[in-house]
Amino acid sequence: MVLKSCCVYSVGVVSVLMLILGISLVLTSVFPHLVQSMVKKQVVLKNDTDAFEAWKDPPAHIYMQFYFFNLTNPQEVLDGERPAVVEIGPYTYREYRPMEQIDFQDNGTKVTAVNTKTYIFQRNMSRGPESDLIRTVNIPAMTVMERLKDKSLEANLISAYMKGTGQGLFTTRSVGELLWGYEDGLLKALKTITHDLDLDDVFGLFYKNNASNDGEYVFFTGQQNYRDFSRVDTWKGESNAVHPEINKHVTLFLRSLYTVYEEDVTVKGITGYRFVPPSSVFANLTVNPDNAGFCVPAGNCLGSGLLNVSVCKEGAPIIMSSPHFYQADEKFAQDVFGMTPNKEEHQTAIDINPLTGVVLQTAKRLQINVYLNTNDSKGKDSLEYPVSATIDDTAAKKLKAIDVQQNVVENIPFMLIGLAIIVGGIFMFLVCQQKSTAAERQPLLSS
């Protein structure tokens, strides 16, 4: 009896100790800190590591898709009516962006590299070939007219040239020409008229962007501080990276486009946080004073939803927005027949694993608009180009394993508390059973 009682109360002591241990582990966050220390060792840019190989040559397939708005009523637009467009696309390109000219510096705490991007057309993922023709705004003509608006002599000569060659405000070009460039007769003739304008003979929305890089970056390797993993140290004074351990309150700056947390998501079984641009990104000056620089000339703001980037495009009347003027003032979508803005198709979003900072899925969706002013009427013709990428299956398996390990390790204290409760229940049952047995034997002892 004495031995049995000792065993029963030993079970009780064990359950109490397990409960105390479990609660202590929860309060001190021992296991979350253990997980963090594991991540710190893995997210360092160093030769022969998975993190370095993924950074050097991203395994995720990145696609850039272009949708063109084919103008169907050019003469009516010239007469002052609103443009009517039909969306044509996608025309899909696989984007390759390996890091090159890699050089470790400052005892491995920093690494320099250039990020060369190459685009390869994917016919099987596209509506048609690159030779498909699109009727759209004649951007070179619009640019020249804008640049020469205060020079009457040159403007008259250009006008005479356009009439003589049959050029107008609209042109029909192939997808490949519009994207990657074509020799423009007007731009070429312009050089014989004036030498004041520094314009290239070739025009393309992404001219010189294929098989090129935008300069040298200096990245932190994360060796000194794992939160600096792959963060840009210097590139024109800007930062463009995501560090490990993301929380829902952080603001992510992606060049000039910033995002904030919207919701939890799951990508290929991996947990993530979704970040999206708030409406303030494209808000007008009265809503977001930070957008004052996009009012060109100063004070000339176009309203919420549009950003004037002409100063970055050699004076071309280029305006950026979300596709179909999503999150813009309603009047802009109403100005162009054929606009159908919706969140699912036109919102920019980036999904990130909060523990490692790895991008699980991203969709950057922007629209290039050309601002027209004909016969005192205002219209816009557009091209939209979403860029999307999703983590590949191999990387997803590795990250999912880390995700599972995190869940298991971080839940050990709670499993311990649960086990303590079960053992405590067994202890209570044994105590009750022992008392019941003692009560049954008591009459026999009395007699």
Side-chain angles (χ1 to χ4, degrees):
M1 282 294 294
V2 175
L3 180 61
K4 188 175 181 180
S5 296
C6 288
C7 291
V8 169
Y9 286 103
S10 295
V11 171
V13 171
V14 169
S15 69
V16 171
L17 292 176
M18 290 173 63
L19 184 62
I20 293 173
L21 179 60
I23 293 174
S24 300
L25 291 174
V26 170
L27 295 176
T28 56
S29 301
V30 170
F31 284 98
H33 290 155
L34 177 61
V35 172
Q36 291 173 18
S37 66
M38 293 166 56
V39 171
K40 290 178 185 179
K41 294 178 181 179
Q42 295 178 25
V43 289
V44 176
L45 293 177
K46 187 167 58 176
N47 280 320
D48 301 323
T49 63
D50 289 342
F52 176 75
E53 293 302 321
W55 172 83
K56 179 181 177 182
D57 190 6
H61 291 183
I62 302 172
Y63 294 99
M64 180 176 278
Q65 294 184 307
F66 298 93
Y67 295 80
F68 293 84
F69 291 102
N70 191 59
L71 184 66
T72 62
N73 62 338
Q75 187 56 52
E76 288 79 1
V77 173
L78 292 175
D79 293 337
E81 296 185 20
R82 67 173 178 162
V85 299
V86 175
E87 185 179 77
I88 299 177
Y91 295 91
T92 305
Y93 292 80
R94 171 82 183 275
E95 179 180 319
Y96 297 87
R97 49 168 68 188
M99 293 290 181
E100 299 175 339
Q101 301 177 32
I102 298 171
D103 181 31
F104 286 93
Q105 299 180 347
D106 296 346
N107 296 321
T109 60
K110 295 180 181 179
V111 58
T112 65
V114 295
N115 191 202
T116 301
K117 297 179 182 179
T118 304
Y119 302 94
I120 306 298
F121 184 63
Q122 308 292 300
R123 179 64 182 85
N124 64 323
M125 299 176 65
S126 303
R127 174 191 181 274
E130 290 181 290
S131 58
D132 280 358
L133 297 177
I134 306 294
R135 182 195 286 129
T136 186
V137 174
N138 188 341
I139 300 180
M142 295 293 297
T143 303
V144 171
M145 292 169 63
E146 179 67 22
R147 296 282 290 272
L148 294 178
K149 63 183 179 182
D150 297 324
K151 299 181 179 181
S152 57
L153 176 61
E154 289 89 342
N156 289 333
L157 290 173
I158 288 297
S159 178
Y161 175 86
M162 291 178 65
K163 289 179 180 178
T165 56
Q167 288 195 48
L169 294 182
F170 306 105
T171 185
T172 300
R173 294 284 178 177
S174 71
V175 168
E177 287 177 324
L178 289 172
L179 291 177
W180 311 115
Y182 60 91
E183 186 177 82
D184 185 80
L186 177 61
L187 294 175
K188 195 171 184 179
L190 185 65
K191 289 189 174 180
T192 65
I193 298 175
T194 178
H195 299 287
D196 295 338
L197 303 182
D198 184 21
L199 295 174
D200 203 305
D201 294 351
V202 177
F203 170 78
L205 291 168
F206 292 88
Y207 176 52
K208 293 183 179 179
N209 280 6
N210 203 349
S212 64
N213 65 74
D214 56 358
E216 186 180 75
Y217 290 80
V218 179
F219 301 88
F220 289 104
T221 63
Q223 180 173 299
Q224 288 183 319
N225 185 345
Y226 78 106
R227 287 182 178 272
D228 286 335
F229 169 72
S230 80
R231 184 171 66 83
V232 175
D233 178 31
T234 58
W235 181 80
K236 297 182 180 180
E238 296 185 24
S239 178
N240 184 36
V242 178
H243 59 69
E245 281 198 284
I246 296 296
N247 62 58
K248 301 174 184 179
H249 307 293
V250 70
T251 297
L252 300 180
F253 289 87
L254 309 177
R255 295 285 177 87
S256 58
L257 185 68
Y258 61 91
T259 60
V260 295
Y261 169 82
E262 182 183 58
E263 61 181 344
D264 287 12
V265 295
T266 301
V267 179
K268 294 188 176 181
I270 305 167
T271 57
Y273 294 160
R274 171 160 294 175
F275 290 82
V276 302
S279 58
S280 58
V281 168
F282 290 109
N284 64 27
L285 179 62
T286 58
V287 177
N288 184 4
D290 291 339
N291 287 340
F294 297 102
C295 297
V296 182
N300 182 30
C301 300
L302 299 175
S304 290
L306 304 183
L307 295 181
N308 189 338
V309 295
S310 58
V311 292
C312 307
K313 301 295 181 181
E314 297 185 324
I318 300 296
I319 298 167
M320 303 298 293
S321 71
S322 292
H324 288 246
F325 302 108
Y326 171 70
Q327 285 189 323
D329 292 340
E330 290 185 11
K331 64 178 181 179
F332 296 122
Q334 294 171 356
D335 281 347
V336 182
F337 182 81
M339 298 291 102
T340 55
N342 68 79
K343 179 178 179 178
E344 289 71 25
E345 295 181 10
H346 303 140
Q347 182 187 53
T348 289
I350 179 171
D351 301 335
I352 299 175
N353 179 255
L355 176 65
T356 62
V358 170
V359 176
L360 305 176
Q361 184 171 261
T362 180
K364 185 177 181 180
R365 301 180 175 113
L366 292 174
Q367 181 169 295
I368 298 175
N369 308 284
V370 182
Y371 193 75
L372 300 180
N373 193 341
T374 59
N375 297 330
D376 294 327
S377 67
K378 298 175 182 177
K380 288 165 281 294
D381 200 43
S382 313
L383 154 74
E384 57 174 299
Y385 61 103
V387 181
S388 62
T390 303
I391 189 170
D392 71 309
D393 291 338
T394 302
K397 288 180 181 178
K398 293 181 180 179
L399 195 56
K400 191 173 182 179
I402 294 174
D403 218 22
V404 170
Q405 290 173 10
Q406 178 195 9
N407 289 331
V408 170
V409 172
E410 290 188 348
N411 283 315
I412 285 177
F414 299 100
M415 290 188 285
L416 197 60
I417 292 172
L419 186 58
I421 293 173
I422 293 173
V423 173
I426 294 173
F427 167 70
M428 296 299 294
F429 172 77
L430 292 176
V431 168
C432 291
Q433 188 180 50
Q434 190 177 42
K435 289 183 177 181
S436 177
T437 303
E440 290 177 358
R441 291 179 177 177
Q442 189 64 33
L444 294 175
L445 292 174
S446 301
S447 58

